Amino acid sequence: MSPMSPAPPGPPTLHLSAGQNIAIWAGFALLLALLPWCFPSEAALTLMTQMGTAAILALSFNLLLGSTGLLSFCHATYAGIGAYAGVWCVNRIGAGALPVSMFVVPLAGAAAGALAGATLGFVTTRRAGMTFAMITLGVAELVWVVAAMLPEWFGGERGIATDRTLGAPWLGLTFGSQREVYGLVAVWLFICAALMYGVTRTPLGFLARAVRDNAGRVAFLGQSPAAVRYRMQIIAAAFAGVAGALGALNFELASADTFSLERSGVVLVFTVLGGTAYFAGPMVGAVIGVFATVVLATMTRAWQLYLGLGFLAVVVFAPGGVAGLVAGHMRVLQTLRQDTVRRLWRPYLAVCAGLAMVVGGLIAVVEMTYGIRLAVASAIDPGQSWLCSAGASNVWARWGVAMLSLMLGAAWLYRAWPRLIGAVRQVAGQVGRLARGAGDQP
């Protein structure tokens, strides 16, 4: 399904009680609090800080894509404006001109992002669909070029540096250590996630979903679809500004690269990867995406290829994203107390075996191809690369094993996948009949 086509009906709504909602949010807060104790290293804290910032940005983007049906290519623009506002605020605090704590710096990013959203959104939200996407594409390029043309404002290629430790301590925190910065990002992630969830439950959030599904009917009922899109744009831009300010605090730098079209594309990939139909989907996608771009990049030069293949696989085989894939199995998990698990474990095992062969063969082929390419580019003997460290005589054997694993895995999946789909549908239908039967009982 193309992002330009009308959004399909959302997933079945789960009616959670107030106690269940409180338990979920309490568990989320507990998870954020326990993570730095489980992963105390500086590298892990830096990675989790980037994940938290990306999660806020992806959640704000989903207010447009998932809730309102707007595909924006300039969402990173608002994050960049928030980053520059945050750096300006930090520098003013360091100079003693603003007697406030660094904790409130993201509010400056929110104000700047909301102002930019109100200014640019007044033009972009007058149309929807392909027109809106193309307008935002032009806006992103325009702001990027203007930032490069005004180095006295945006710092040119070097950007504007700052020091987050210059302000007065707040509750004994100087934000000098990475643990304190993670705590700042975690607190703002919880606040922003709760506020954005609240926005989706307000009349404006319901109107936005109605505009996404049928703008003509909303206009017939007396509401302006353009006004609804405009308000959601301002709200989404404000939260994007918060993410930009937190990113500037983390890296102590704001540069014109934050306005690049690539940043907006990355946010789109993260959001779709996690799932736009579920509130927590963008957070899941941000965690996976940041892990792939940071950790996987240190392991292999082909990390962008793996990320692209993973995104392609999700779009083709799991349009609901990772969150949709998990939610689709929730009903199946209800059968654990019934005598139907025996129908599922064998198909699942068969599919996992096929996936293991396909992924293993694909990784081997990609890594060997990259190894040969790098060996040629370095003007060395391909047999001296780590892929062929055992000697050139084993090269063909390795290629043969990799290709055989890839082809056998594909053939195995071709037979196992339909069986798994059939078993899952059969079990889900049985659970649905049992649920309807239980509802009919007094």
Side-chain angles (χ1 to χ4, degrees):
M1 178 178 175
S2 171
M4 303 302 175
S5 58
T13 303
L14 296 177
H15 300 284
L16 301 178
S17 63
Q20 290 174 326
N21 278 320
I22 293 175
I24 291 174
W25 285 102
F28 180 47
L30 183 62
L31 175 65
L32 294 177
L34 291 179
L35 280 177
W37 300 98
C38 298
F39 305 97
S41 66
E42 290 293 321
L45 290 172
T46 302
L47 180 63
M48 291 187 296
T49 302
Q50 296 181 45
M51 289 178 178
T53 304
I56 297 175
L57 189 58
L59 283 173
S60 65
F61 180 75
N62 200 42
L63 288 178
L64 296 178
L65 181 61
S67 297
T68 320
L70 297 176
L71 178 61
S72 175
F73 287 109
C74 71
H75 201 66
T77 301
Y78 306 115
I81 293 174
Y84 275 97
V87 166
W88 177 86
C89 187
V90 171
N91 289 335
R92 298 291 290 176
I93 292 174
L98 289 177
V100 296
S101 170
M102 292 292 178
F103 181 80
V104 300
V105 167
L107 293 178
L115 181 60
T119 304
L120 301 176
F122 184 77
V123 178
T124 59
T125 57
R126 291 179 176 271
R127 296 291 185 270
M130 178 69 74
T131 305
F132 174 84
M134 293 298 100
I135 293 175
T136 57
L137 180 62
V139 168
E141 293 290 343
L142 177 64
V143 174
W144 190 16
V145 171
V146 170
M149 293 174 60
L150 300 174
E152 61 276 6
W153 286 11
F154 299 96
E157 295 182 356
R158 295 178 300 176
I160 301 178
T162 186
D163 188 354
R164 60 175 181 261
T165 64
L166 294 177
W170 181 73
L171 297 178
L173 302 177
T174 61
F175 301 107
S177 66
Q178 192 61 42
R179 181 181 290 271
E180 294 178 354
V181 177
Y182 166 79
L184 175 67
V185 173
V187 170
W188 276 103
L189 171 59
F190 184 83
I191 294 173
C192 292
L195 290 176
M196 280 186 273
Y197 179 77
V199 169
T200 61
R201 310 308 298 173
T202 60
L204 177 61
F206 289 112
L207 271 177
R209 288 192 287 274
V211 169
R212 175 199 65 189
D213 297 335
N214 196 329
R217 180 170 294 181
V218 173
F220 180 78
L221 294 176
Q223 297 289 337
S224 172
V228 174
R229 292 192 293 264
Y230 181 55
R231 295 168 188 168
M232 292 297 290
Q233 174 67 85
I234 295 175
I235 296 173
F239 287 109
V242 172
L246 289 173
L249 275 174
N250 183 33
F251 294 106
E252 297 181 307
L253 177 70
S255 63
D257 290 338
T258 57
F259 298 117
S260 65
L261 186 61
E262 180 183 358
R263 297 290 295 274
S264 295
V266 167
V267 176
L268 172 62
V269 170
F270 289 177
T271 306
V272 175
L273 184 65
T276 60
Y278 301 88
F279 179 79
M283 288 192 289
V284 176
V287 170
I288 297 175
V290 172
F291 182 85
T293 55
V294 176
V295 177
L296 196 60
T298 63
M299 300 171 61
T300 174
R301 294 175 180 262
W303 66 271
Q304 290 179 319
L305 177 61
Y306 293 132
L307 183 61
L309 289 176
F311 177 74
L312 181 63
V314 169
V315 171
V316 174
F317 299 105
V322 176
L325 203 61
V326 173
H329 289 77
M330 293 302 295
R331 179 172 294 182
V332 177
L333 293 178
Q334 297 176 3
T335 64
L336 290 177
R337 297 182 179 179
Q338 304 172 16
D339 190 22
T340 54
V341 179
R342 56 184 177 81
R343 304 180 185 177
L344 296 177
W345 74 270
R346 290 182 180 177
Y348 269 106
L349 184 61
V351 168
C352 290
L355 283 175
M357 288 189 289
V358 169
V359 172
L362 181 62
I363 291 176
V365 170
V366 170
E367 293 300 329
M368 287 190 292
T369 304
Y370 264 75
I372 294 175
R373 178 67 182 88
L374 293 175
V376 172
S378 303
I380 62 176
D381 184 7
Q384 298 176 356
S385 66
W386 68 272
L387 293 161
C388 309
S389 57
S393 59
N394 293 331
V395 172
W396 291 109
R398 296 187 180 189
W399 275 97
V401 171
M403 295 301 298
L404 182 62
S405 175
L406 189 60
M407 290 186 295
L408 286 179
W412 190 280
L413 278 178
Y414 182 77
R415 295 178 58 87
W417 185 258
R419 296 179 181 177
L420 175 62
I421 296 299
V424 169
R425 288 178 177 175
Q426 183 179 5
V427 171
Q430 181 180 357
V431 173
R433 289 192 297 271
L434 292 175
R436 288 192 297 269
D440 293 338
Q441 295 178 1

